[in-house]
């Protein structure tokens, strides 16, 4: 059986622990697969709820954002949402804009 084991040269400690647990059969099968799937689907939906807002921005800023979004191949509203998300995420970590 040793010959059948996959070789993993560049695993993190966490990844190596997972491989070890699988090899040692430390995982147990999920008995209620549909219930678990429903649970995780509901959790995912709750995590990604979106809220519509209305903003008035300077036209020049919107034009620049649209140009950047076009270059990246994404909708400009998606880019604006991403910018706001990154700002909110960084602000929670103790960063601030001056």
């Amino acid at each position: 059986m040793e010959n059948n084991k996959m070789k993993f040269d560049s695993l993190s400690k966490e990844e190596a622990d997972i491989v070890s647990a699988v090899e040692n059969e430390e995982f147990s099968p999920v008995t209620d697969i549909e219930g678990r799937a429903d649970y995780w689907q509901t959790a995912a939906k709750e995590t990604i709820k979106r809220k519509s807002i209305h903003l008035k921005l300077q036209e020049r800023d919107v034009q620049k954002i649209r140009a950047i979004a076009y270059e990246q191949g994404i909708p400009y509203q998606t880019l604006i949402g991403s910018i706001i998300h990154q700002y909110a995420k960084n602000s929670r970590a103790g960063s601030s804009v001056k």
Side-chain angles (χ1 to χ4, degrees):
M1 180 154 197
E2 188 67 36
N3 294 342
N4 291 335
K5 287 188 178 183
M6 297 177 80
K7 302 230 184 237
F8 298 99
D9 294 332
S10 59
L11 295 180
S12 70
K13 179 179 177 347
E14 181 180 14
E15 292 167 332
D17 290 345
I18 292 169
V19 169
S20 176
V22 169
E23 289 174 346
N24 295 327
E25 299 179 3
E26 295 175 15
F27 291 106
S28 59
V30 174
T31 54
D32 180 20
I33 192 97
E34 289 183 23
R36 296 296 289 169
D38 289 343
Y39 171 82
W40 288 111
Q41 287 174 351
T42 301
K45 287 177 186 174
E46 293 296 319
T47 302
I48 58 172
K49 282 187 176 180
R50 297 195 178 266
K51 170 93 174 144
S52 293
I53 63 170
H54 177 79
L55 294 173
K56 290 188 178 191
L57 304 171
Q58 292 183 9
E59 189 166 336
R60 143 180 100 232
D61 293 337
V62 174
Q63 289 171 346
K64 288 179 184 177
I65 291 291
R66 282 184 180 217
I68 293 166
Y70 178 78
E71 290 172 0
Q72 294 182 4
I74 61 174
Y76 78 99
Q77 291 178 335
T78 300
L79 178 59
I80 292 170
S82 176
I83 292 167
I84 292 170
H85 174 75
Q86 287 299 316
Y87 178 83
K89 182 175 137 183
N90 291 336
S91 291
R92 278 187 268 143
S95 305
S96 64
V97 175
K98 295 179 182 180

